């Protein structure tokens, strides 16, 4: 009979063998074996089973939350709230939901490379169940990110606190596993401050929200800014990103913009159709804009990177000083490039002027509505829009 130490050594030996096998499998996968840029029809578990093992760099999963909503939800004025009542979010019991979750997580682990990572987003209805499963299955939780919504839907009944956040779990394949984290790009995106684990971003709305016949195409469409940050932080150009719950294609659209490859799984025909139309219209960034800062205070209420990831200032945009003599181009992580120099909006302004410091918000100008305006004007407009 094995001792406890002997049993642990045996288990660790089996894990080591599996990890070596996964590493060999990852090297054997050829890009041509993958359905890049395609949405796989049908159940996500079956769809993922068609993919080679150890073939994907990152998975972003937005699974059903199992909200357990009963009946219609109305506003105080009697108008109907378009909540999540779709069949795909309904399960007979917690046991049924857990079984489904283990099945797709098992396939997710199989297709991820040894140095890949997994992102799962959820609410209090499901995220704790998923977190326990992830740990039981050998994933290592690197961070839990709180997405704090700057414009959440209010609690119309007034019986609870307003649900103003969702939680994302970012995991590596194991405690000692390698993974991608573009720390400096995140610091640049956040105006040279370390990116924190609480992200303030607006929910999907305006022109970004896909509608058909005046109704939302998908009730839980995620904002592109959220995927932009996730992808910029934990993938590199050319990496393969898999989304098992593709919906209307936010992951695919952002992947195309940032020069990443994508694969989606989606069983609902309406969502697949909307996603393909949306991704077709997404414009990829040029090479210089996709490149992120590799080297490196006052923090304003909004980081310049927030304007970039939410589309208020697009990567590739030309910024100038007030007289139009000094110029720099915006890159995907919110850094600027001028000639061979790269820096933040403040650092680049100081560098080009030969000054010890610079307030980039007032120094840099951009074309907006036919006029040249300080980028601080767009910051103020962003604040107004997200306070609605």
């Amino acid at each position: 009979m094995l001792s406890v130490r002997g049993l642990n050594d045996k288990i660790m030996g089996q894990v080591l063998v599996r990890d070596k096998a996964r590493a060999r499998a990852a090297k054997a996968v050829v890009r041509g074996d993958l359905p890049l840029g395609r949405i796989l029809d049908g159940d996500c578990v079956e769809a993922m089973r068609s993919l080679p093992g150890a073939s994907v760099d990152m998975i972003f999963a937005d699974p059903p939350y199992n909200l357990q909503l009963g009946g219609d939800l109305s506003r105080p004025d009697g108008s109907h709230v378009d909540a999540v009542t779709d069949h795909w979010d309904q399960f007979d019991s917690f046991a049924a939901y857990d079984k489904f979750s283990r099945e797709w997580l098992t396939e997710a682990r199989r297709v991820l490379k040894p140095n890949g990572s997994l992102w799962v987003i959820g609410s209090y209805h499901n995220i704790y169940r998923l977190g326990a499963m992830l740990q039981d299955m050998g994933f290592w939780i690197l961070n839990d990110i709180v997405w704090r919504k700057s414009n959440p839907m209010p609690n119309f009944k007034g019986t609870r606190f307003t649900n103003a956040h969702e939680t994302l779990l970012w995991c590596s394949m194991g405690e000692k596993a390698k993974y991608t984290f573009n720390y400096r790009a995140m610091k640049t995106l956040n105006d040279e401050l370390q990116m924190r684990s609480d992200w303030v971003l607006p929910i999907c709305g305006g022109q970004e929200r896909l509608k058909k016949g005046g109704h939302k195409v998908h009730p839980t469409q995620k904002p592109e800014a959220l995927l932009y940050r996730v992808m910029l932080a934990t993938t590199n150009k050319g990496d393969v990103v898999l989304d098992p719950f593709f919906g209307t294609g936010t992951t695919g659209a952002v992947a195309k913009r940032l020069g990443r490859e994508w694969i989606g799984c989606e069983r609902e025909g309406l969502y697949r159709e909307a996603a393909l139309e949306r991704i077709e219209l997404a414009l990829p960034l040029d090479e210089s804009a996709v490149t992120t800062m590799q080297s490196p205070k006052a923090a304003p209420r909004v980081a310049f990177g927030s304007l970039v990831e939410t589309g208020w200032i697009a990567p590739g945009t030309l910024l100038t000083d007030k007289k139009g003599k000094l110029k720099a181009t915006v890159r995907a992580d919110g850094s600027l490039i001028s000639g061979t120099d790269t820096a933040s909006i403040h650092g680049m302004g100081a560098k080009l002027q030969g000054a010890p410091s610079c307030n980039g918000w007032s120094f840099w100008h951009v074309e907006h509505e036919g006029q040249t305006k300080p980028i601080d004007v767009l910051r103020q407009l962003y604040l107004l829009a997200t306070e609605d």
Side-chain angles (χ1 to χ4, degrees), residues 171-183:
C171 311
S172 66
M173 291 291 283
E175 182 180 2
K176 305 297 184 182
K178 294 182 180 180
Y179 56 90
T180 296
F181 179 49
N182 298 317
Y183 168 79

Side-chain angles (χ1 to χ4, degrees), residues 150-226:
S150 56
N151 52 344
M153 181 184 294
N155 183 276
F156 294 108
K157 292 184 178 180
T159 55
R160 305 184 187 183
F161 296 109
T162 296
N163 291 325
H165 79 278
E166 293 182 30
T167 302
L168 298 93
L169 300 179
W170 174 38
C171 311
S172 66
M173 291 291 283
E175 182 180 2
K176 305 297 184 182
K178 294 182 180 180
Y179 56 90
T180 296
F181 179 49
N182 298 317
Y183 168 79
R184 286 175 180 166
M186 288 296 97
K187 190 172 181 180
T188 307
L189 195 70
N190 198 39
D191 275 2
E192 299 183 9
L193 288 177
Q194 282 191 348
M195 184 70 76
R196 293 161 39 127
S197 61
D198 55 333
W199 297 355
V200 182
L201 295 167
I203 61 175
C204 185
Q207 292 184 344
E208 186 183 336
R209 168 67 76 174
L210 301 186
K211 293 186 177 181
K212 216 165 205 179
H215 298 284
K216 299 175 185 175
V217 175
H218 195 293
T220 64
Q221 180 182 335
K222 295 301 182 289
E224 290 191 8
L226 184 68

Side-chain angles (χ1 to χ4, degrees), residues 125-373:
H125 302 87
N126 69 328
I127 201 66
Y128 302 108
R129 309 184 78 83
L130 292 174
M133 288 180 207
L134 288 165
Q135 291 178 319
D136 290 343
M137 296 173 73
F139 287 101
W140 188 259
I141 298 177
L142 298 165
N143 276 116
D144 63 327
I145 302 294
V146 175
W147 167 29
R148 187 157 63 88
K149 303 171 183 178
S150 56
N151 52 344
M153 181 184 294
N155 183 276
F156 294 108
K157 292 184 178 180
T159 55
R160 305 184 187 183
F161 296 109
T162 296
N163 291 325
H165 79 278
E166 293 182 30
T167 302
L168 298 93
L169 300 179
W170 174 38
C171 311
S172 66
M173 291 291 283
E175 182 180 2
K176 305 297 184 182
K178 294 182 180 180
Y179 56 90
T180 296
F181 179 49
N182 298 317
Y183 168 79
R184 286 175 180 166
M186 288 296 97
K187 190 172 181 180
T188 307
L189 195 70
N190 198 39
D191 275 2
E192 299 183 9
L193 288 177
Q194 282 191 348
M195 184 70 76
R196 293 161 39 127
S197 61
D198 55 333
W199 297 355
V200 182
L201 295 167
I203 61 175
C204 185
Q207 292 184 344
E208 186 183 336
R209 168 67 76 174
L210 301 186
K211 293 186 177 181
K212 216 165 205 179
H215 298 284
K216 299 175 185 175
V217 175
H218 195 293
T220 64
Q221 180 182 335
K222 295 301 182 289
E224 290 191 8
L226 184 68
L227 271 296
Y228 188 104
R229 189 174 295 187
V230 165
M231 229 171 280
L232 198 66
T234 58
T235 64
N236 296 311
K237 187 176 183 295
D239 280 357
V240 178
V241 178
L242 169 67
D243 187 336
F245 307 95
F246 202 62
T248 52
T250 302
T251 298
V254 175
K256 183 177 178 181
R257 287 175 59 200
L258 291 176
R260 276 64 168 165
E261 302 286 357
W262 62 269
I263 302 170
C265 306
E266 181 52 58
R267 69 183 189 184
E268 303 294 328
L270 176 63
Y271 298 163
R272 290 197 305 273
E273 180 183 339
L276 288 172
E277 291 178 3
R278 175 187 187 182
I279 295 169
E280 180 67 25
L281 295 173
L283 297 176
L285 304 180
D286 64 36
E287 185 71 26
S288 61
V290 170
T291 305
T292 57
M293 192 160 169
Q294 299 301 310
S295 57
K297 109 180 181 190
R301 289 194 297 158
V302 176
F304 181 67
S306 296
L307 300 186
V308 177
E309 64 189 352
T310 53
W312 283 81
I313 296 180
T317 297
L318 181 68
L319 303 184
T320 67
D321 67 342
K322 188 175 182 179
K323 296 181 179 179
K325 293 182 178 180
L326 301 177
K327 300 177 182 179
T329 301
V330 179
R331 299 200 296 177
D333 62 355
S335 63
L336 303 186
I337 182 169
S338 180
T340 59
D341 292 328
T342 58
S344 68
I345 58 171
H346 312 296
M348 184 61 76
K351 184 176 293 187
L352 294 182
Q353 295 180 93
S357 62
C358 172
N359 181 350
W361 291 106
S362 57
F363 177 78
W364 291 110
H365 288 62
V366 66
E367 286 291 325
H368 179 66
E369 296 181 342
Q371 298 180 9
T372 301
K373 299 179 181 180

